[in-house]
Amino acid sequence: MPGVNADPPGLDLARLSHHLEREGLTRGPLRAEVIHGGKSNLTYVVRDAERTLVVRRPPLGHVLATAHDMGREHRVMTALRDTGVPVPATYHLCQDPDVVGAPFYVMEYVEGGHPPLTPEIARDLVSVLATLHSIDPDQVGLGDFGRPDGFLERQVGRWKRQLDASRSREVPGIDDLYARLARDVPRSGSPAIVHGDFKLGNTLIVDGRVRAVLDWEMSTLGDPLTDLALFLLYGEFAELDGPGGAVPADPLPADPLLAAPELAAHYADASGRDISRLGWYVGLACFKLAVIAEGIHFRYTKGLTVGEGFAEVGDQVAPLVARGLMEV
């Protein structure tokens, strides 16, 4: 296994071994390998002679703790453990940065993968999303997990500020898209626990069913239809947060009996939520991904990116803007 008898980036195995043994989680020397890295939180598979665990810590060189709060991820997964939302069990949170150089937490290792998005898997993903959004935050100790009042207005304003900080060229229609979103913000229904980046790539699938939902670093309390709209949009456009800035999309099923409208209807039935304004939320998702893509393009033109694939990211912006303008 890669990383055997060597420290993977960001993980001092000797210090980690001593700490986890003291916590009763492992015994003896550890082996580890990075399974997810980059700008997101770093994820490691860690093994002793008998047990396999997962360790999560912030990315290397990270400064802003609020963007990669280990306690926040640990808290939401711990709270959801006994609900109908499949999450890995959490075992330990260490806020002491002296152990591995940053706060970290330890969770269950879950077997699973990312198979093609079949109609059955897509429907199960939407069912899981509806279950998440049906949970009363107060009942699971997450009543103070976010600020749902004004959530949508803050989202629109946040991505406009990001756009203004990334302008390097004329982007036809993007200011019109922002203006339409800003002047017609829907009234949110009851607030829910929002994942923030719900997609196939942030889950583990076993035998066509969702075995675990991962990567809760963007979770908060807010309007649940933002999750649904982003999930549906990921089925049309490339994701913009992978290596090189763009990786293959989670394509929605080709089966015409379970395309986006049918998935949205299934969500409405399962959650009881009013989706009559879903088009606005899809427009917001388009604006968000367009701004992310434009930011990557801006950094690419300034020579601030490393690796391949960045040159094409800017090409995503115009189609996203056009798609958003169709909806709002």
Side-chain angles (χ1 to χ4, degrees):
M1 178 179 64
V4 174
N5 299 323
D7 292 343
L11 209 63
D12 184 320
L13 289 181
R15 294 179 67 87
L16 180 66
S17 175
H18 175 73
H19 180 84
L20 295 186
E21 188 161 349
R22 189 174 59 192
E23 295 293 328
L25 291 172
T26 61
R27 295 179 63 183
L30 299 178
R31 303 175 295 161
E33 60 179 321
V34 180
I35 59 173
H36 184 57
K39 297 177 182 178
S40 182
N41 293 327
L42 295 167
T43 307
Y44 310 82
V45 175
V46 176
R47 293 181 173 94
D48 65 7
E50 299 178 351
R51 193 177 191 187
T52 301
L53 300 169
V54 171
V55 172
R56 288 265 283 177
R57 59 150 289 168
L60 303 180
H62 169 64
V63 177
L64 297 175
T66 54
H68 298 274
D69 187 340
M70 294 296 95
R72 190 173 183 83
E73 270 199 289
H74 179 270
R75 180 184 174 189
V76 68
M77 286 197 298
T78 302
L80 294 173
R81 178 59 182 167
D82 294 324
T83 69
V85 178
V87 292
T90 52
Y91 298 134
H92 176 61
L93 170 67
C94 177
Q95 299 279 27
D96 183 0
D98 290 337
V99 178
V100 300
F104 67 93
Y105 67 90
V106 184
M107 64 180 173
E108 174 189 12
Y109 175 75
V110 179
E111 293 280 359
H114 304 117
L117 189 56
T118 66
E120 293 76 20
I121 292 175
R123 191 177 181 89
D124 195 42
L125 284 164
V126 171
S127 295
V128 169
L129 196 59
T131 299
L132 171 66
H133 295 161
S134 71
I135 295 170
D136 183 342
D138 289 319
Q139 293 298 314
V140 293
L142 295 177
D144 62 347
F145 196 61
R147 296 183 297 134
D149 291 343
F151 174 78
L152 293 178
E153 290 84 355
R154 289 196 304 275
Q155 285 289 300
V156 173
R158 172 190 176 185
W159 293 110
K160 175 59 162 58
R161 290 190 296 273
Q162 292 283 352
L163 173 64
D164 290 341
S166 303
R167 291 185 186 269
S168 63
R169 59 178 179 169
E170 184 69 22
V171 180
I174 198 167
D175 289 301
D176 184 24
L177 177 56
Y178 160 73
R180 294 188 195 184
L181 291 167
R183 70 171 175 252
D184 192 26
V185 179
R187 175 178 292 183
S188 295
S190 58
I193 303 164
V194 174
H195 181 276
D197 196 25
F198 189 82
K199 58 190 177 186
L200 177 66
N202 283 340
T203 65
L204 293 173
I205 308 295
V206 177
D207 296 330
R209 302 300 301 272
V210 181
R211 177 71 174 80
V213 180
L214 310 173
D215 293 346
W216 291 86
E217 59 191 277
M218 299 178 69
S219 59
T220 188
L221 298 187
D223 191 316
L225 295 188
T226 56
D227 269 349
L228 176 63
L230 192 60
F231 171 72
L232 296 176
L233 190 64
Y234 273 140
E236 301 179 38
F237 290 89
E239 299 173 29
L240 300 170
D241 60 353
V247 296
D250 294 341
L252 290 177
D255 186 341
L257 298 179
L258 199 58
E262 286 69 35
L263 289 171
H266 174 58
Y267 173 88
D269 290 341
S271 67
R273 298 269 178 178
D274 178 7
I275 64 168
S276 60
R277 293 292 310 277
L278 183 59
W280 186 94
Y281 293 87
V282 173
L284 176 61
C286 289
F287 184 60
K288 172 182 175 178
L289 293 190
V291 171
I292 291 172
E294 189 64 12
I296 294 170
H297 173 77
F298 175 80
R299 291 191 294 275
Y300 170 75
T301 61
K302 299 295 183 182
L304 300 176
T305 56
V306 178
E308 299 179 354
F310 291 101
E312 295 79 21
V313 174
D315 296 338
Q316 298 278 355
V317 178
L320 282 163
V321 171
R323 180 71 173 84
L325 289 170
M326 291 173 56
E327 294 288 348
V328 296

